[in-house]
């Protein structure tokens, strides 16, 4: 009986005076165990000290093991295929902004800059003016500027040639009722440049909506899209108007969203 007890004790590894674990877990615990051992802080009261691992051992309670749940699988910016989702089970949650506009599934036709938000392709006001003046001859006939401000802002002054689309229904009706064939972004692909007053909310949000719906419509052709070239104008209409002193706008005016004359 004494030999049996000695053998049983040899199979246990002491962690502290109040808890023991089987030797089978020694290798796991020796690397990075979560061990709560009482330590003294400046006031002299016990404090728990934590180290990370898959198991938890508390020194002030009977020995036991707590598995830490593994993190849920994240979507890596790519929409799952229709075979995984099922053709009748494609939801908005499967096509969220986890599919960023700057995922670079296509070669960008315009130079980009760092903007306000991650996940977007921003261009400068200078790049837009160069495009309008024909400095990109291969692209001059295949770009659109989408002004996402409200009609009274748009009518008060907008970039020459811009179209005013300011809600989801208008975006869908204009671009997706009869979308062009899916493309990976060659030189003939239509370029869409979104903006609002500051390009901080309305413009980026509507561009996200277009990308989400475009992805759903072309799920069978992944990663191709009808509109792979989507950009955001950095600084929006306000920066464009101030930078060029009203040039390239019609009429040469700027009406802010919170203009008092448009609120009762």
């Amino acid at each position: 009986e004494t030999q049996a007890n000695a053998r049983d004790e040899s199979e246990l590894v002491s962690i502290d005076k109040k808890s023991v674990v089987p030797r089978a877990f020694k290798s796991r615990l020796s690397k990075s165990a979560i061990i709560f051992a009482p330590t003294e802080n400046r006031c002299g009261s016990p404090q728990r000290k934590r180290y990370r691992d898959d198991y938890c051992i508390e020194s002030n309670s009977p020995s036991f093991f707590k598995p830490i749940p593994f993190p849920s699988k994240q979507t890596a910016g790519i929409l799952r295929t229709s075979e995984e989702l099922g053709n009748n089970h494609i939801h908005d949650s499967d096509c969220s902004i986890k599919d960023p506009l700057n995922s670079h599934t296509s070669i960008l036709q315009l130079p980009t800059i760092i903007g306000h938000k991650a996940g977007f392709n921003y261009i400068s006001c200078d790049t837009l003016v160069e495009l309008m003046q024909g400095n990109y001859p291969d692209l001059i006939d295949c770009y659109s500027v989408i002004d996402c401000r409200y009609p009274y802002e748009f009518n008060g002054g907008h970039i020459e040639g811009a179209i005013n689309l300011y809600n989801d229904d208008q975006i869908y009706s204009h671009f997706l009722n009869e979308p062009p064939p899916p493309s990976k972004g060659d030189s003939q692909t239509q370029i869409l440049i979104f903006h609002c007053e500051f390009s901080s909310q309305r413009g980026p949000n509507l561009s996200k909506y277009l990308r989400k719906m475009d992805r759903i419509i072309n799920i069978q052709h992944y990663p191709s899209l009808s509109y792979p070239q989507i950009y955001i104008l950095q600084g929006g209409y306000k920066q464009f108007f101030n930078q060029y002193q009203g040039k390239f706008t019609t009429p040469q005016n700027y009406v802010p969203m919170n203009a008092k004359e448009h609120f009762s």
Side-chain angles (χ1 to χ4, degrees):
E1 183 178 355
T2 303
Q3 293 179 351
N5 291 338
R7 184 172 60 255
D8 291 341
E9 290 178 1
S10 68
E11 293 298 320
L12 299 175
V13 180
S14 177
I15 301 303
D16 58 28
K17 295 182 179 180
K18 296 186 179 181
S19 63
V20 291
V21 297
R23 188 175 295 278
F25 292 98
K26 180 179 180 181
S27 60
R28 292 184 69 91
L29 295 171
S30 63
K31 293 180 180 179
S32 58
I34 295 182
I35 304 173
F36 289 94
T39 59
E40 296 294 325
N41 62 12
R42 294 181 181 179
C43 299
S45 60
Q47 210 176 33
R48 295 180 185 275
K49 188 176 181 181
R50 179 176 178 179
Y51 301 87
R52 293 192 57 84
D53 192 60
D54 295 335
Y55 292 93
C56 168
I57 300 173
E58 293 196 12
S59 60
N60 293 333
S61 61
S63 176
F64 66 93
F65 299 93
K66 285 184 179 178
I68 297 177
F70 290 100
S72 59
K73 199 170 184 178
Q74 303 272 334
T75 303
I78 299 177
L79 179 65
R80 290 169 285 170
T81 63
S82 58
E83 289 78 14
E84 292 172 321
L85 295 172
N87 291 330
N88 298 324
H89 299 283
I90 301 173
H91 304 291
D92 285 355
S93 60
D94 298 309
C95 308
S96 65
I97 193 54
K98 293 176 182 177
D99 179 25
L101 273 67
N102 65 350
S103 56
H104 300 300
T105 55
S106 62
I107 299 175
L108 297 177
Q109 303 295 325
L110 296 176
T112 59
I113 60 175
I114 297 175
H116 297 307
K117 296 183 177 181
F120 295 92
N121 300 313
Y122 285 87
I123 64 169
S124 67
C125 296
D126 292 335
T127 297
L128 176 56
V129 169
E130 291 174 0
L131 182 62
M132 296 170 66
Q133 293 180 326
N135 292 359
Y136 297 88
D138 295 336
L139 308 177
I140 190 64
D141 295 325
C142 58
Y143 80 92
S144 298
V145 178
I146 299 93
D147 190 328
C148 302
R149 297 176 300 155
Y150 298 125
Y152 68 87
E153 300 173 81
F154 180 84
N155 294 332
H158 58 267
I159 296 171
E160 293 175 355
I163 56 177
N164 187 209
L165 305 173
Y166 58 93
N167 61 41
D168 293 353
D169 291 340
Q170 291 177 342
I171 292 292
Y172 192 97
S173 177
H174 189 90
F175 292 109
L176 298 173
N177 275 344
E178 296 181 2
S183 167
K184 290 186 178 180
D186 56 27
S187 60
Q188 301 303 314
T189 299
Q190 187 172 5
I191 290 174
L192 305 182
I193 302 169
F194 284 76
H195 78 85
C196 50
E197 185 174 2
F198 307 105
S199 288
S200 59
Q201 291 295 332
R202 291 175 287 176
N205 288 345
L206 286 178
S207 70
K208 285 195 299 185
Y209 172 78
L210 176 59
R211 170 54 57 86
K212 178 177 69 174
M213 301 310 296
D214 192 0
R215 183 65 76 197
I216 293 174
I217 290 171
N218 291 295
I219 191 169
Q220 299 289 349
H221 306 285
Y222 182 86
S224 298
L225 294 161
S226 296
Y227 302 100
Q229 300 283 330
I230 296 179
Y231 301 85
I232 304 295
L233 178 64
Q234 171 75 323
Y237 183 77
K238 180 178 181 179
Q239 180 171 325
F240 187 91
F241 181 84
N242 291 336
Q243 184 170 333
Y244 291 98
Q245 298 297 311
K247 296 179 180 178
F248 311 107
T249 65
T250 181
Q252 292 186 356
N253 190 30
Y254 164 41
V255 176
M257 184 183 71
N258 60 356
K260 293 181 180 180
E261 59 269 25
H262 295 283
F263 290 88
S264 56

